[in-house]
Amino acid sequence: MKLAVLPWILMLLSSIPGPGLTAGTPGSCSLRCGVQDEICSCHPTCSGLGTCCKDFLNYCLEISPSSGSMMGGKDFVVQHLKWTDSITSVICRFKESIQTLGYVDDLKQVHCISPLLYESGHIPFTISMDNGLSFPHAGTWLAAHPYKVSESEKSQLVNETHWQYYGTSDTGGNLSLTWNTSALPTQTVTIELWGYEETGTPYTGNWTAKWSYLYPLATNVPNTGFFTFAPKPAPPQYQRWRVGALRIIGSKNYAGEQDVLALWTNDHALAWHLGDDFRADSVAWAREQCLTWEALEDQLPNFLTELPDCPCTLAQARADSGRFFTDYGCDIEHGSVCTYHPGAVHCVRSVQASPMYGSGQQCCYTASGTQLLTSDSTSGSTPDRGHDWGAPPYRSPPRVPGMSHWLYDVISFYYCCLWAPECPRYMKRRPSSDCRSYRPPRLASAFGDPHFVTFDGASFSFSGNGEYVLLETLETTAAVKDLRVQGRAQPGRMPNGTQARGTGLTAVAVQEDKSDVIEVRVADGSQVLEVLLNQKLLSFTEQNWMDLKGMFLSVASQDKVSIMLSSGAGLEVGVQGPFLSVSILLPEKFLTHTRGLLGTLNDNPEDDFTLRNGHVLPPNATAQQLFQFGASWAVSNASSLFTYDSRPLVNQFLNGPKHDPNFKPLFPDETTLSPSQAEDLARLCESDHFCVLDVISTGDPSVGNATRIAHQLHQNRLKSLQPVVSCGWLPPPVNGHKEGLKYLEGSTVRFGCNSGYSLAGPESSTCRADGTWSSPTPECQPGRNYTVLLSIIFGGLAIVALISIVFMLLHRRRKSNMNLWSSQP
């Protein structure tokens, strides 16, 4: 079988070969990385199959480290590629256009320096060792969002808030930064300021992004890892840059030299370099900038209309992991340090940027699990004109990761809310989304021996030995893409080492439309997860988040992988006992578009057991019938997404049948339990019938317990995703106020008027099951507030009564004491 060549490989194959080299020369991997061959292969699977060309590692490169900030300046070693006397220079070329000079160390190892990029994700690069005549050596560099790399890889602003408020009222003095000296092996360093801007007409072809070197803060500074200085206003020609970062380089480099070994700080508001007008009256200066931003913002297209509605509850937001992901600036798993959203305990961001404008949604929640809205508080969640994580194809505004967001959403927040009291202007143009149009995704899961719970809620067991279609789309539309999810099931082992008559998932693979292919599998003979990208094993020792083609990938722990697809579908694959469990989330737009082992999503569980040929089994089908149903969904070699990188996998699944007809599972009607056995299983499994089946089929209570836990996790997530009714935000009355910030079914909002006004209308309104309020917001009309007056009158009477009671009790106690004294001798 010949696998499809990756797009970047095609670009390499079109490169001009150097002297003595011919593109695609048999027997060599020069210009052939990614090509699979039975004898001399340059494909990632060749290592496990023992079919690599002898020069495979020389041309298909492995590097260390393999990732770094997209800001560039990271040194990486090209492993297995050695310098020879005949080599005159090393040139590293990224994305066929950005060239940096490499170098050779004392051990004759070849190094490259990563360039400044305007995008994140896997960046193809090639290396020339003949002065640029040819670039036959190929590899991939992972460029990460600056906030997603290790803090040790960056220079740190000491007290970052001090930096970003410098020059405002009562904020001055010295500023300091630190860095890891081992990352810059030089005696002295230069510290530079770089500024970021986006120029041109918004949403046109001449809208461009650019980092610019501005000026040095200091030169020939001893490389001690610490620097402190008293900021001075920058020269006027640099005042237009309001967002930027500091870069530290070796003093041997000239100022502003591109793509050299460097450490960058986080991007930040450049308050400390602004002019004397800012320092003289920062509020007036910021107000003027806020008004300028407001005028520009009102001329730009309305990006809010294409953003998804927020989930109604915190539980929904955390469960809908295909469309929303934790906002690192407000994470309940890390202490809920929500600097910009006080009162919130957790925020999420929409995973995918909006299609037309590259914008993003943000949703924040209180400790009670309800939304925190900007209509009620400046702590509410705010959508973003520029998605913080950027958006493909990146590089151009407003899709540059991190930086576009800073220019259109963050620095304007400083202008209007942090440096000047004009926050209502900002909140009006960044209003929180409510959840009236939010629809939770549909959930299906597979786990254990394996057991399946379909999108429509049908459940069954299928212990096949092979590779099967868990889910595929029936037909594609503009909204529903060609989605395929496949699972590999293999027999487990009995405690005595013999093969069990039950199977479990050992690999899951997914692709949507023309996206990358991700496979998650259990490493042979262990409970360790392996993740493969386009059939190449990934490492997560450096990064636990990857921006991929058509998807995002997150590995928050060693036993769970989250995959977020561009359609909003999501997968979570984890280890439960010896097998995998998989949960799949589909947005409502997938209704009537799915088939496979996880059923036909149409709110009708009675047709979920539909065979590939269209025949539908009844809901009460026997275990034997369900086994035939499962077998009908075996994949073919032509449609398989799996990687066959070992001889056992090739022999069993590539050259053998996709469904093993000789494997006979243990059906439930083949076993009979004694009363004591049934009692023991009931105690262990807590009435979970899937757990019972797995203990019987494997003879291992731990397998049954893992199945019970996985089933419970499915049920908990299903509960979190239950739809709730929202009536939407209810305003307070003019010249009045309200109590209650919950707007879901059953919630009540109470109203009151300011002094000098009286309420005309109901004192409260309740959210009803049909999504409407029981009454609109009442009016506060001029006149005495009788409610307040009565409370004062009755409050005064209550105080008088309380004083009378206290005096009466004291009088009685005194009289009692006098009687007691008279009775003593």
Side-chain angles (χ1 to χ4, degrees), residues 63 122 145 382 592 626 779 820:
I63 60 175
H122 282 91
H145 188 295
T382 53
T592 73
L626 290 171
E779 294 183 2
L820 179 62

Side-chain angles (χ1 to χ4, degrees), residues 118 195-200 206-212 394-400 403-404 407-408:
Y118 293 79
Y196 180 82
E197 62 182 344
E198 295 181 353
T199 58
N206 70 348
W207 200 13
T208 59
K210 186 178 181 181
W211 276 101
S212 299
Y394 303 108
R395 297 189 295 279
S396 299
R399 298 173 178 271
V400 178
M403 300 316 305
S404 293
L407 283 191
Y408 300 107

